[in-house]
Amino acid sequence: MTQKPMKALFTFLLLGITMSSFAQIKVNHIAVHVSNLNSSKEFYQKIVGLEEIEEPFKDGVHAWYDIGGGAALHIIEAPNVPTQISKVNHLCFSMKDMDAFIKTLESTNYPFESWPGEKGKVTIRVDGIRQIYIQDPDGMWLEINDDY
């Protein structure tokens, strides 16, 4: 290969590597507005099963949870929780054992529903993934699926 095509190939490869490293992002955290930190902590720990992690503020209005892949869920107690809540705006967590999760919901009488809103039902997406929807103490929708 002559010097000119070799230089062009090298430039193309370098540009591709550089562009791909700039285009890569990762989720650092998701923040959720809650009206009562203690009831929300109980929900995210006991119902969803998240592990609380160290939070730096220690101000009594924050709690942080590990949600995998180096990302965290931050719940923040603050006044003026939004009153219009849409299922389209939701958090989604994938569970390794969704059947066990559903049994936990059923044993604690925690309501869940399918995407169309059928109580106690599971939606099966076109790609075969099973999903249910639950709400946190402030009405925020969470999708739970088995795409683990």
Side-chain angles (χ1 to χ4, degrees):
M1 192 178 266
T2 65
Q3 190 173 12
K4 199 168 195 173
M6 182 65 109
K7 186 177 178 183
L9 177 62
F10 177 74
T11 302
F12 176 74
L13 289 173
L14 183 60
L15 181 62
I17 291 168
T18 303
M19 286 178 66
S20 67
S21 65
F22 282 120
Q24 298 298 313
I25 62 170
K26 68 175 189 165
V27 174
N28 178 274
H29 72 270
I30 298 166
V32 174
H33 187 171
V34 302
S35 62
N36 182 292
L37 186 65
N38 289 331
S39 62
S40 293
K41 284 176 70 168
E42 186 172 331
F43 169 78
Y44 284 102
Q45 288 171 217
K46 292 184 179 172
I47 299 298
V48 180
L50 296 181
E51 179 183 334
E52 190 170 8
I53 58 176
E54 182 71 21
E55 69 90 3
F57 301 114
K58 299 184 184 2
D59 58 6
V61 297
H62 291 84
W64 290 11
Y65 295 92
D66 180 5
I67 57 173
L73 171 68
H74 298 181
I75 58 173
I76 306 165
E77 182 178 288
N80 304 317
V81 174
T83 56
Q84 291 198 339
I85 300 171
S86 167
K87 193 187 275 186
V88 173
N89 296 326
H90 62 270
L91 300 174
C92 179
F93 297 110
S94 295
M95 298 282 176
K96 186 180 262 186
D97 187 350
M98 193 161 145
D99 292 325
F101 182 74
I102 290 171
K103 284 182 181 157
T104 298
L105 294 176
E106 292 170 340
S107 71
T108 58
N109 292 316
Y110 205 92
F112 67 94
E113 62 185 54
S114 65
W115 172 250
E118 301 163 294
K119 306 294 181 205
K121 299 289 182 179
V122 176
T123 298
I124 300 176
R125 298 187 329 206
V126 295
D127 58 1
I129 300 299
R130 297 180 313 142
Q131 61 188 181
I132 59 171
Y133 291 83
I134 61 176
Q135 288 181 286
D136 79 1
D138 288 299
M140 172 73 149
W141 284 101
L142 282 76
E143 172 187 338
I144 309 296
N145 68 35
D146 63 358
D147 189 18
Y148 188 80

